[in-house]
Amino acid sequence: MRVGLFLTCVNDTLYPDTGRAVVKLLTRLGVEVDFPMTQTCCGQAHYNTGYRHQAEPLAWHFSDVFGAYEAIVTPSGSCGAMVRELYPRMGERAAAEGRGDALTRALAPVVPKTFELTEFLVDVLGVTDVGACYPHKVTYHPTCHGLRGLGLADRPRRLLQAVRGLELVELPGAEECCGFGGTFALKNAELSAAMGADKVRSAESTGADVLCAADNSCLMHLGGTMSRLQSDMRPVHIAEILASAEEDPAV
Amino acid sequence: MSGTFVGMPAFPEAASRAVRDATLRGNLRHATHTIRAKRAQAVAELSDWAALRTAGMRIKEHTLRHLDRYLVQLEESVTAAGGTVHWALDAEEANRIVTRLVQETGESEVVKVKSMATQEIGLNEALAAEGIRAYETDLAELIVQLGKDRPSHILVPAIHRNRGEIRDIFRTEMGRWGRPAPEGLTDAPAELAEAARRHLREKFLRAKVGISGANFMVAETGTLVVVESEGNGRMCLTLPQTLISVVGIEKVVPAWRDLEVFLQTLPRSATAERMNPYTSMWTGTTDGDGPRTFHLVLLDNGRTDTLADRVGRQALRCIRCSACLNVCPVYERAGGHAYGSVYPGPIGAILSPQLRGTASAIDASLPYASSLCGACYDVCPVAIDIPEVLVHLRERVVEGGPAVREGNRVVLKPAKGHAAERAAMRAARWAFTRPGALRAGQRLASGTRRLHPRTLPGPGRAWSGTRDLPAVPVEPFRDWWQRTHGGKEGTG
């Protein structure tokens, strides 16, 4: 199977290790990965801040870049939810504004084929044991858009539970938002920081060394909070844990 | 809406006091987490919750689609049952009607059932201006009224007060409104409840006029329904000679049978009870039983404007259960007062800017008072997609666009103060539709990575004031990919 890796602009620019981990993991599982070089951003920040019309060209661009792949895989619950949940809505709104169904038709080939990484592993490849080894104590934060937007449910946990050497501990209040929320972190900085600090404290209470999530945006916010609070925990993307192998471990 | 909250600062400033108040945050956290857990348990007891939620949503959707028909039917039913129906376009008209109706009875005191509609229009203040005293009889509303305070929760208006504060309010204020608090009142819950009971009993037995809202109005029979926990409402609904109910037009349901859904979903969502302790229903007037005169004031106050909006109209499905407040991480930390409206929390963030418009600083900031985590949508018993409406209203704030205000189609201008953001969004869109430009930016960032500060000046200070920025990597992923996999620029 040949899949298009939609890495997302945040991962591409700030977290290339996550992208390398996805390539390593999927290749190990026999998937042919391609990274179309013309990809950019899904437009979520635009859409969620109220600039739907600025997000539309980015949806068009996404459909141009990824239309030909059998499947599109992204290591971000948030950007995955943007494509799967909000792109169709953008098509409907464009139609309601008298601009016809061109956007809906352009998006039809990409929307149902777009999968968040853990969904792709469990639902499409049908694996929960990806042959990983990661000898650390880990707690998992289910990010809001993955949890409620895409309905990832226990897929990430099942994958983590099958990792050799990994001790998974439950995060109290796991389903509460970490407070990132894209531009919310700027527009309501104090609230966002308070939510982040509470999340870090409850993660620390588990005694885990690693806080794992399937979204680097939330981890950027939580990692920045940990750094400021001088916490001993580290934020790690789930792809990096799943890619880690005994002969080639992630740190 | 009421002038009570006009002049409020925008949400982020209003919230900052609450965020820094450790006691308030502690109170709110404890209260919301307790009720959140109980609600989840009460909902989990029902195997058909999802079906009930869908049924509630459909009944409300259907009613709103044919609101004109059901309101006319309601008016006919209420009139046939001996009541009188009045139509109020806005808060001012509703207040004028109620004031006149009270004045016609010759009374200068009324007892009130807890009601969001009368809070919304500022009825108590309007009556006071005409020399009529309105006594709140719901315990929490009594605390708020005596404390010259504002409600901070839809269902638990005094959620921000602790027992010690309530005792002090009772001691100093009760005497000015009627029967004083007993000597030596402590903060024991039973003593506080007993003080309130004695104070209120005097009001119930004396009042000739009662004022209420309603949770539901049944079009086919003209029946109004109030659900409550304390029984104070039932006293106000049955003892006075005249009853005046002020109800938002969206509260109508077509048939008696529709109540079977909401009388299950409302109490479980609101107070985590299988059934609320008191359900009072009345249909017009009946000889020898209850009030002799019944008036129904049907309140619009921005509701038909809201109904005209295809995305935003779902806010009118709300049954005021407060489940979205109790589950919201933003409400939990900001407190109810920061929302600048009698409707706080996620539902307030979408309802107030629709009922009042987005012209004021507070109304323009409310659609951003959310991280879009979606917990509110999950718990809503009528499936209002609150995040969807928030984003829709954000669009109205930053881009303007068509809307209906006071019954007229208008094109709203974008709110002031978003010029820099708008320019940044346009620039980002420009770069993101040109992969070469994005790549140049990434290379510039990587090339200068050692110079990057971990904190930011200007608007970014809000972020880096409390969090460290991530370090920029040596090379972006796409450069690594090209180096190792030979991907060609410009291929797709």
Side-chain angles (χ1 to χ4, degrees):
Chain A
M1 182 186 267
R2 183 167 171 268
V3 304
L5 170 61
F6 169 47
L7 191 57
T8 83
C9 55
V10 167
N11 290 325
D12 177 15
T13 309
L14 293 172
Y15 298 96
D17 287 350
T18 297
R20 287 198 281 268
V22 177
V23 174
K24 178 177 157 188
L25 171 65
L26 292 180
T27 307
R28 189 169 81 207
L29 294 170
V31 177
E32 191 191 334
V33 183
D34 188 27
F35 178 85
M37 292 289 280
T38 51
Q39 67 178 282
T40 56
C41 164
C42 64
Q44 188 191 177
H46 293 81
Y47 183 88
N48 278 349
T49 313
Y51 298 90
R52 177 169 54 91
H53 292 104
Q54 299 288 336
E56 267 186 30
L58 302 179
W60 278 101
H61 184 69
F62 186 92
S63 74
D64 287 346
V65 174
F66 287 102
Y69 290 95
E70 273 179 85
I72 302 145
V73 179
T74 182
S76 163
S78 193
C79 303
M82 176 68 190
V83 174
R84 277 241 305 276
E85 305 296 306
L86 303 180
Y87 275 9
R89 203 170 280 174
M90 284 167 66
E92 286 165 25
R93 294 297 304 281
E97 285 167 356
R99 290 185 281 130
D101 64 349
L103 182 56
T104 300
R105 277 190 285 115
L107 292 170
V110 289
V111 169
K113 285 190 307 197
T114 300
F115 299 93
E116 184 277 335
L117 175 67
T118 66
E119 268 182 328
F120 181 75
L121 295 172
V122 175
D123 297 359
V124 181
L125 298 186
V127 290
T128 46
D129 184 347
V130 296
C133 176
Y134 191 78
H136 296 280
K137 194 169 177 182
V138 175
T139 192
Y140 173 72
H141 168 57
T143 60
C144 300
H145 293 173
L147 179 74
R148 286 179 277 263
L150 290 175
L152 295 183
D154 65 346
R155 291 177 184 85
R157 279 196 189 83
R158 280 159 60 200
L159 288 159
L160 289 172
Q161 272 158 355
V163 174
R164 270 166 285 288
L166 188 149
E167 184 192 347
L168 186 64
V169 284
E170 274 307 304
L171 176 63
E175 300 191 354
E176 287 166 34
C177 177
C178 72
F180 173 59
T183 49
F184 174 77
L186 286 171
K187 287 178 182 283
N188 285 282
E190 280 185 273
L191 285 163
S192 168
M195 289 159 74
D198 287 350
K199 180 61 77 178
V200 168
R201 280 189 206 104
S202 62
E204 281 176 335
S205 77
T206 64
D209 334 302
V210 168
L211 175 63
C212 166
D215 232 308
N216 273 330
S217 304
C218 308
L219 287 173
M220 174 174 68
H221 161 71
L222 291 171
T225 306
M226 286 172 189
S227 164
R228 189 60 63 93
L229 296 176
Q230 300 185 317
S231 170
D232 292 332
M233 288 195 99
R234 291 182 299 131
V236 179
H237 192 284
I238 192 169
E240 294 169 43
I241 293 177
L242 298 178
S244 177
E246 212 161 342
E247 64 281 6
D248 181 16
V251 279
Chain B
M1 269 172 93
S2 157
T4 319
F5 291 91
V6 166
M8 279 284 297
F11 183 80
E13 294 98 273
S16 71
R17 224 186 90 214
V19 177
R20 291 171 191 169
D21 184 339
T23 312
L24 179 63
R25 262 180 73 182
N27 290 349
L28 285 166
R29 182 178 169 82
H30 176 73
T32 55
H33 281 246
T34 305
I35 197 163
R36 181 186 302 187
K38 283 187 181 168
R39 187 214 72 98
Q41 208 174 357
V43 163
E45 280 181 1
L46 293 182
S47 57
D48 61 345
W49 181 260
L52 277 171
R53 183 176 189 247
T54 307
M57 176 188 83
R58 292 220 174 113
I59 292 167
K60 284 281 183 180
E61 262 185 354
H62 167 84
T63 314
L64 289 169
R65 198 172 302 132
H66 305 284
L67 192 62
D68 51 347
R69 168 151 68 90
Y70 288 118
L71 285 173
V72 169
Q73 190 188 4
L74 175 75
E75 180 180 34
E76 288 165 0
S77 308
V78 170
T79 309
T84 309
V85 175
H86 309 261
W87 299 81
L89 187 63
D90 54 20
E92 199 193 338
E93 189 174 14
N95 287 332
R96 205 164 51 231
I97 293 168
V98 177
T99 307
R100 176 174 54 80
L101 292 172
V102 177
Q103 282 166 341
E104 282 170 7
T105 66
E107 295 294 318
S108 59
E109 285 183 352
V110 300
V111 285
K112 284 191 68 208
V113 185
K114 175 175 159 27
S115 143
M116 295 308 296
T118 59
Q119 292 262 13
E120 178 188 320
I121 61 175
L123 178 64
N124 291 7
E125 293 80 4
L127 288 174
E130 298 297 324
I132 299 163
R133 228 171 186 199
Y135 296 108
E136 293 291 347
T137 65
D138 172 84
L139 180 56
E141 288 289 357
L142 176 71
I143 294 163
V144 169
Q145 184 177 45
L146 293 177
K148 299 182 196 70
D149 200 357
R150 289 170 176 171
S152 64
H153 189 279
I154 292 175
L155 205 75
V156 196
I159 196 169
H160 56 294
R161 295 289 200 183
N162 62 38
R163 282 190 279 143
E165 290 175 298
I166 294 167
R167 177 205 54 210
D168 294 343
I169 291 168
F170 280 11
R171 274 184 183 167
T172 56
E173 300 296 330
M174 263 186 176
R176 285 201 257 172
W177 287 80
R179 188 187 174 109
E183 286 292 318
L185 177 70
T186 74
D187 65 358
E191 278 193 41
L192 294 174
E194 186 59 20
R197 187 177 291 129
R198 288 177 184 278
H199 178 82
L200 289 171
R201 187 156 300 169
E202 187 188 278
K203 302 276 178 281
F204 293 136
L205 294 174
R206 201 171 65 203
K208 301 282 188 291
V209 181
I211 294 180
S212 83
N215 294 93
F216 306 99
M217 307 184 284
V218 181
E220 68 172 356
T221 56
T223 304
L224 271 71
V225 184
V226 162
V227 298
E228 45 146 355
S229 298
E230 296 169 8
N232 293 336
R234 181 167 291 178
M235 303 283 262
C236 301
L237 295 167
T238 49
L239 290 174
Q241 291 172 1
T242 300
L243 174 60
I244 305 165
S245 300
V246 183
V247 189
I249 51 174
E250 82 284 14
K251 296 272 175 152
V252 68
V253 294
W256 185 265
R257 181 162 178 189
D258 298 323
L259 297 174
E260 83 175 290
V261 174
F262 300 114
L263 292 182
Q264 293 184 77
T265 54
L266 177 55
R268 282 179 200 262
S269 303
T271 49
E273 287 167 308
R274 296 181 178 121
M275 189 180 177
N276 51 283
Y278 294 86
T279 302
S280 301
M281 301 181 169
W282 68 101
T283 309
T285 55
T286 307
D287 284 340
D289 185 16
R292 303 303 314 124
T293 312
F294 170 58
H295 294 278
L296 171 60
V297 181
L298 290 171
L299 177 70
D300 186 315
N301 207 32
R303 285 162 174 76
T304 51
D305 289 349
T306 305
L307 190 60
D309 190 292
R310 2 176 323 138
V311 179
R313 68 173 61 135
Q314 57 185 309
L316 297 176
R317 296 207 294 259
C318 177
I319 56 174
R320 312 282 188 260
C321 71
S322 305
C324 63
L325 278 64
N326 298 328
V327 80
C328 177
V330 173
Y331 173 85
E332 178 188 326
R333 290 167 182 86
H337 290 159
Y339 292 81
S341 157
V342 296
Y343 303 110
I347 186 65
I350 63 168
L351 199 54
S352 305
Q354 293 200 81
L355 296 179
R356 303 192 292 209
T358 45
S360 71
I362 181 74
D363 288 312
S365 68
L366 285 177
Y368 293 94
S370 166
S371 64
L372 303 181
C373 84
C376 50
Y377 179 29
D378 256 21
V379 297
C380 178
V382 284
I384 301 169
D385 191 342
I386 294 176
E388 181 188 25
V389 183
L390 286 167
V391 169
H392 173 65
L393 293 173
R394 290 175 184 189
E395 188 179 321
R396 182 172 294 174
V397 170
V398 296
E399 293 193 335
V404 174
R405 299 308 304 165
E406 294 172 2
N408 301 311
R409 294 205 168 277
V410 294
V411 177
L412 297 173
K413 285 184 195 153
K416 286 182 185 138
H418 289 81
E421 180 187 278
R422 200 174 301 119
M425 288 291 177
R426 283 200 185 123
R429 192 265 296 146
W430 186 88
F432 285 141
T433 44
R434 288 162 183 79
L438 171 64
R439 197 165 186 199
Q442 284 177 332
R443 283 185 171 157
L444 180 67
S446 288
T448 58
R449 57 191 289 272
R450 290 182 197 289
L451 308 172
H452 285 223
R454 298 298 291 273
T455 55
L456 289 172
R461 191 183 295 141
W463 167 277
S464 59
T466 47
R467 285 153 290 209
D468 289 328
L469 294 167
V472 176
V474 180
E475 64 179 352
F477 177 86
R478 67 182 63 219
D479 285 2
W480 173 81
W481 177 266
Q482 193 172 27
R483 198 158 53 73
T484 56
H485 292 72
K488 290 192 196 84
E489 225 167 328
T491 62

